[in-house]
Amino acid sequence: MAKKKFKAESKRLLDMMINSIYTHKEIFLRELISNASDAIDKIYYKELTDDSLTFDKEKYYIKISSDKENRTLKVCDAGMGMTKEELENNLGIIAKSGSLAFKKENEMKDGHDIIGQFGVGFYSAFMVSEVVTVVSKALGSDEAYKWESKGAEGYTIEQCEKDSVGTDIILKIKENTEDEKYDEFLDEYRLKAIIKKYSDFIRYPIRMNVTESKLKEGTEDEYEDFTEEKTINSMVPIWRKNKMELKTEDYENFYSDKRYGFDKPLKHIHISADGLVRYNAILFIPENIPFDYYSKEFEKGLELYSNGVLIMNKCSDLLPDYFSFVKGMVDSEDLSLNISREMLQHDRQLKLIAKNIKTKIKNELLSMLKHERDEYDKFYEAFGRQLKYGVYDKFGSNKEMLQELLMFYSSKEKKMVTLDEYINRMPEEQKYIYYAAGESVDRIEKLPQIELVSDKGYEILYFTDDIDEFAIKMLMKYKEKEFKSVSSGDLGIESEENKDDNKAENKEDKELFEKMKNILTGKVKDVRVSKRLKNHPVCLANEGEVSIEMEKILNTMPNNQNIQADKILEINVNHEVFKSLKEAYEKDEEKLNLYTSLLYDQALLIEGLPINDPVEFSNNICKIMS
Ligand code: ADP
């Protein structure tokens, strides 16, 4: 029988896995039990809802058995089973999980991180096994297949005998080494402890032969060993338990058991609702962004149970897009088991639950913001963008829901601040909430446009995310205070100096600006005296709906329509350069052309916009140097 190779990526991951110094090797058992439980979930649901199948609750359990002499550990279930194709596809490739692509991007050094971050399910069996054998018979199939692998080299697959539907995983446990005692994974007590620790809440019995010493009948001090099959786990699903009896650790175990993420959750929310609609839910706010979060592949949703039976893996109707990062599950007695995806969308109960959940998440985030700012900062770093996207999306219809949760970097505090914090410390005469948009905090700090507002002592919010300005355009104002870009025409700041400047714009200067505007036809809408510049000679301001930063972003999009901001070239008339401009205007037309083009190009560069003709620009510089 020919040996099949693992897909290249799987092989690399397996190598890492096998050779990694992973401290929690014991988790392999949790991974296998979870898989077995998932497989039972599937068949349970199928048999409950399909009349042609017989429903037999008795067979839904997971059996663990160890054999010290032969060094084997078995995990058996009567779940859905796998067909030959499924064995190949599910166990022969890992790329599906996307974890490897992620690793490549992030170049983690050893296998440690990747395993910690993603878990690798089934593959973790290779941490403790020399050989892994999977014997499986799928529901509705007459044939059974045996898949076998020693690790990185590949696997074999052949037809075999198996009476009943389900899957047996057989691990040939490694020999002890100097550092690692693999024997422990054959030891009954140790196995029991591992199951209790990680899989106590699995809804199906996890059964194992347990040996106990008992008093020999008819004697008073003679003991003998009894072996009995016992259920190790308590089986009460965590969401049915009393919150008071649960520790954070229990929720964390549930989170990894369910593979909601491979990080630790930042927060959990346990809901037991008993009002208009009855449901239990456990929700998590993850600590890290899932690697595919901001990609098309990411699917939001919560697991949906009807009275303890899983009916849907990812019910997207339960979560609004702006909270799509939330993981977890909902169980309700009020939902019908046979409900279809289409029916669910219109289900009144489900809508009520979704609404309820939305509010709970919002309140949890608000409370985090108020009482655990460090945690909230962490959360916002990961998912703030999604909230801002939520403000913008659906024509701003969710802005009321989300605005209090927003934060932006503050020029004054040098950290993220909320809009409430901003307006609470606004001086009385300050009319607007000022913001400046740019690529990074550093870049914005150097923008000439911020000079006047900064000098006035006003706080400026820095917008460094693409979405920021779009979101703010939707918001328009916060608690009656309008947002104002530092690049906008009218800043609402009238200083003594400015009034003088206005006077300074005499007839002669006007003609000069008119001339410059002609030179820059099609590039700028106007050329004006700047009221905001102090040290810099020139900058771009803008009028109208589309800002310069928005122009940049819109034009990076695939279907860009070459949208242009209305740009105003502002000149600092108190700058040395202005004198040269005037002189050129009076004496040398060619020079004026040259200076005007150069100033315009400079203004573009400061904004981080591409200049139209870099060659001409450098030629122009040479011209003034020589
Ligand atoms: P994950 O469970 O995260 O998808 P795994 O590597 O643990 O990743 O498993 C891959 C797939 O193999 C599972 O999604 C499932 O389809 C299948 N599988 C694993 N174990 C079993 C089992 N005991 N019974 C049926 N299918 C299984």
Side-chain angles (χ1 to χ4, degrees):
M1 182 182 24
K3 185 167 258 173
K4 303 202 182 182
K5 291 215 169 76
F6 285 109
K7 294 268 161 75
E9 290 161 323
S10 305
K11 183 173 169 343
R12 275 186 51 208
L13 189 53
L14 270 169
D15 279 337
M16 282 193 309
M17 181 108 228
I18 294 160
N19 301 319
S20 72
I21 20 150
Y22 188 50
T23 42
H24 302 297
K25 286 194 164 38
E26 64 191 31
I27 58 112
F28 79 93
L29 191 57
R30 173 189 78 191
E31 303 288 313
L32 298 183
I33 290 175
S34 288
N35 281 347
S37 170
D38 289 350
I40 301 176
D41 269 345
K42 287 180 200 153
I43 200 167
Y44 192 119
Y45 177 65
K46 201 133 190 124
E47 293 193 348
L48 259 186
T49 51
D50 186 339
D51 290 338
S52 67
L53 299 169
T54 40
F55 179 69
D56 174 11
K57 204 169 185 235
E58 285 307 302
K59 63 174 198 265
Y60 300 126
Y61 65 91
I62 298 158
K63 174 84 197 271
I64 313 280
S65 36
S66 75
D67 176 343
K68 280 192 181 163
E69 262 156 58
N70 295 310
R71 297 191 74 78
T72 55
L73 177 66
K74 283 196 209 170
V75 180
C76 304
D77 67 71
M80 270 305 252
M82 284 176 273
T83 61
K84 186 180 181 204
E85 288 68 37
E86 283 167 338
L87 280 167
E88 296 222 27
N89 291 334
N90 295 342
L91 310 182
I93 38 173
I94 237 173
K96 193 182 59 173
S97 68
S99 49
L100 218 38
F102 183 72
K103 188 204 166 273
K104 271 187 211 136
E105 272 169 34
N106 289 270
E107 279 309 323
M108 285 178 259
K109 273 173 230 73
D110 56 12
H112 185 268
D113 283 331
I114 195 164
I115 296 159
Q117 273 208 293
F118 301 102
V120 271
F122 172 75
Y123 285 77
S124 59
F126 287 101
M127 293 194 294
V128 300
S129 320
E130 269 168 31
V131 187
V132 178
T133 310
V134 181
V135 176
S136 196
K137 187 174 188 177
L139 179 70
S141 165
D142 298 328
E143 295 156 355
Y145 285 89
K146 182 168 108 179
W147 179 102
E148 195 163 77
S149 169
K150 288 185 176 162
E153 297 119 65
Y155 60 91
T156 58
I157 194 158
E158 62 182 331
Q159 202 169 344
C160 69
E161 286 303 314
K162 187 177 188 309
D163 293 339
S164 52
V165 170
T167 305
D168 297 344
I169 313 260
I170 304 134
L171 312 181
K172 175 96 182 163
I173 299 295
K174 286 183 185 173
E175 294 293 339
N176 286 346
T177 65
E178 244 167 63
D179 315 318
E180 313 260 14
K181 297 271 169 289
Y182 293 101
D183 276 1
E184 59 176 280
F185 301 121
L186 295 162
D187 179 79
E188 182 187 304
Y189 292 98
R190 181 75 172 105
L191 290 169
K192 240 168 82 178
I194 301 175
I195 295 167
K196 268 295 210 196
K197 180 169 171 191
Y198 295 106
S199 310
D200 196 48
F201 307 126
I202 292 286
R203 294 187 306 123
Y204 307 104
I206 302 170
R207 293 202 207 146
M208 210 173 97
N209 283 340
V210 175
T211 316
E212 275 170 25
S213 282
K214 282 188 183 163
L215 209 54
K216 213 170 171 176
E217 229 170 287
T219 68
E220 279 182 12
D221 54 2
E222 273 185 61
Y223 287 85
E224 65 180 351
D225 282 350
F226 277 93
T227 304
E228 222 183 329
E229 192 175 281
K230 281 206 160 170
T231 298
I232 312 295
N233 55 329
S234 69
M235 283 192 299
V236 180
I238 181 169
W239 60 90
R240 292 252 174 92
K241 291 206 167 183
N242 187 337
K243 273 178 248 185
M244 307 306 238
E245 287 166 21
L246 293 164
K247 296 191 288 278
T248 304
E249 202 190 333
D250 296 323
Y251 292 103
E252 287 175 358
N253 279 337
F254 181 67
Y255 183 82
S256 32
D257 184 29
K258 281 291 193 177
R259 311 245 185 91
Y260 289 143
F262 300 100
D263 51 350
K264 268 197 180 156
L266 196 61
K267 268 270 158 302
H268 65 259
I269 309 171
H270 190 160
I271 311 171
S272 313
D274 214 2
L276 221 49
V277 57
R278 286 165 300 170
Y279 73 94
N280 292 305
I282 297 191
L283 310 176
F284 293 99
I285 297 169
E287 174 161 31
N288 297 331
I289 316 181
F291 67 91
D292 59 350
Y293 187 60
Y294 290 114
S295 80
K296 273 196 279 252
E297 279 72 46
F298 183 81
E299 254 184 277
K300 65 163 183 171
L302 299 176
E303 283 180 311
L304 185 61
Y305 290 77
S306 153
N307 208 4
V309 182
L310 182 70
I311 55 175
M312 202 182 283
N313 272 324
K314 284 205 168 155
C315 179
S316 61
D317 297 320
L318 283 168
L319 285 178
D321 282 341
Y322 50 84
F323 290 152
S324 61
F325 46 82
V326 172
K327 303 275 178 180
M329 50 76 52
V330 171
D331 185 13
S332 175
E333 303 164 36
D334 299 341
L335 291 169
S336 145
L337 198 62
N338 281 306
I339 202 158
S340 71
R341 238 166 230 277
E342 294 69 40
M343 276 152 69
L344 260 183
Q345 280 182 356
H346 306 291
D347 191 276
R348 207 177 62 90
Q349 305 291 343
L350 195 81
K351 279 191 178 152
L352 276 174
I353 297 176
K355 197 167 161 225
N356 209 309
I357 281 177
K358 191 166 78 177
T359 315
K360 297 267 185 196
I361 299 170
K362 154 102 187 262
N363 291 342
E364 185 66 32
L365 289 174
L366 265 187
S367 139
M368 218 172 29
L369 175 63
K370 288 206 182 99
H371 309 296
E372 295 164 290
R373 186 59 173 260
D374 285 351
E375 299 282 279
Y376 191 79
D377 282 343
K378 250 191 247 167
F379 156 75
Y380 199 80
E381 165 100 30
F383 302 110
R385 202 186 135 87
Q386 190 65 10
L387 299 184
K388 293 184 279 191
Y389 183 72
V391 169
Y392 170 74
D393 200 24
K394 311 231 156 61
F395 304 102
S397 56
N398 295 309
K399 60 186 184 185
E400 296 293 329
M401 176 81 179
L402 299 171
Q403 54 186 0
E404 292 157 275
L405 297 172
L406 299 182
M407 297 203 294
F408 297 98
Y409 185 89
S410 152
S411 63
K412 276 205 167 158
E413 299 292 307
K414 306 282 176 214
K415 60 171 193 196
M416 303 299 279
V417 302
T418 65
L419 296 174
D420 272 319
E421 286 160 352
Y422 184 101
I423 59 170
N424 286 341
R425 55 175 169 249
M426 263 168 86
E428 215 172 311
E429 83 280 0
Q430 185 182 333
K431 282 194 231 151
Y432 302 114
I433 300 175
Y434 292 104
Y435 67 84
E439 251 152 70
S440 64
V441 168
D442 283 352
R443 282 291 281 266
I444 298 176
E445 239 146 32
K446 292 190 187 117
L447 281 180
Q449 289 92 327
I450 69 170
E451 278 187 333
L452 179 65
V453 184
S454 299
D455 278 5
K456 195 77 187 151
Y458 295 159
E459 185 171 6
I460 303 172
L461 299 176
Y462 290 178
F463 289 0
T464 49
D465 245 346
D466 313 1
I467 190 73
D468 290 350
E469 228 180 336
F470 293 89
I472 286 308
K473 294 259 156 166
M474 276 300 167
L475 216 52
M476 283 182 320
K477 40 174 115 164
Y478 184 73
K479 301 207 171 148
E480 301 306 312
K481 297 285 180 192
E482 252 177 77
F483 289 91
K484 193 83 159 171
S485 162
V486 295
S487 309
S488 67
D490 172 26
L491 285 173
I493 299 175
E494 274 301 326
S495 64
E496 287 307 308
E497 246 173 276
N498 282 340
K499 281 178 198 148
D500 293 348
D501 284 349
N502 284 344
K503 264 180 245 151
E505 194 177 345
N506 54 36
K507 187 165 165 274
E508 206 174 307
D509 290 349
K510 262 196 190 138
E511 282 168 16
L512 163 60
F513 290 143
E514 203 53 40
K515 179 91 190 153
M516 288 174 80
K517 187 175 143 186
N518 287 336
I519 297 171
L520 296 173
T521 303
K523 293 174 177 164
V524 301
K525 216 180 137 217
D526 204 1
V527 180
R528 283 181 204 157
V529 177
S530 178
K531 297 179 194 175
R532 79 191 92 217
L533 291 175
K534 297 197 87 179
N535 303 313
H536 291 77
V538 64
C539 76
L540 286 177
N542 89 282
E543 277 177 353
E545 275 308 293
V546 183
S547 76
I548 292 166
E549 207 51 35
M550 288 163 91
E551 171 188 317
K552 270 193 253 171
I553 294 156
L554 290 171
N555 290 333
T556 59
M557 292 185 178
N559 55 347
N560 94 72
Q561 286 148 19
N562 198 20
I563 290 164
Q564 299 285 323
D566 286 337
K567 301 184 190 75
I568 315 287
L569 187 69
E570 290 196 354
I571 308 286
N572 181 355
V573 293
N574 300 318
H575 197 279
E576 282 299 305
V577 159
F578 187 62
K579 281 193 204 130
S580 316
L581 264 179
K582 275 174 104 163
E583 224 175 272
Y585 175 58
E586 277 150 26
K587 297 190 190 132
D588 187 341
E589 180 156 355
E590 204 176 313
K591 227 177 204 163
L592 182 69
N593 282 336
L594 176 67
Y595 287 175
T596 306
S597 310
L598 268 173
L599 282 173
Y600 172 67
D601 283 345
Q602 278 183 41
L604 288 176
L605 285 173
I606 292 170
E607 283 300 327
L609 285 167
I611 43 181
N612 303 347
D613 188 345
V615 177
E616 192 195 340
F617 174 70
S618 65
N619 286 343
N620 283 348
I621 289 182
C622 291
K623 269 190 214 158
I624 50 167
M625 286 173 78
S626 52

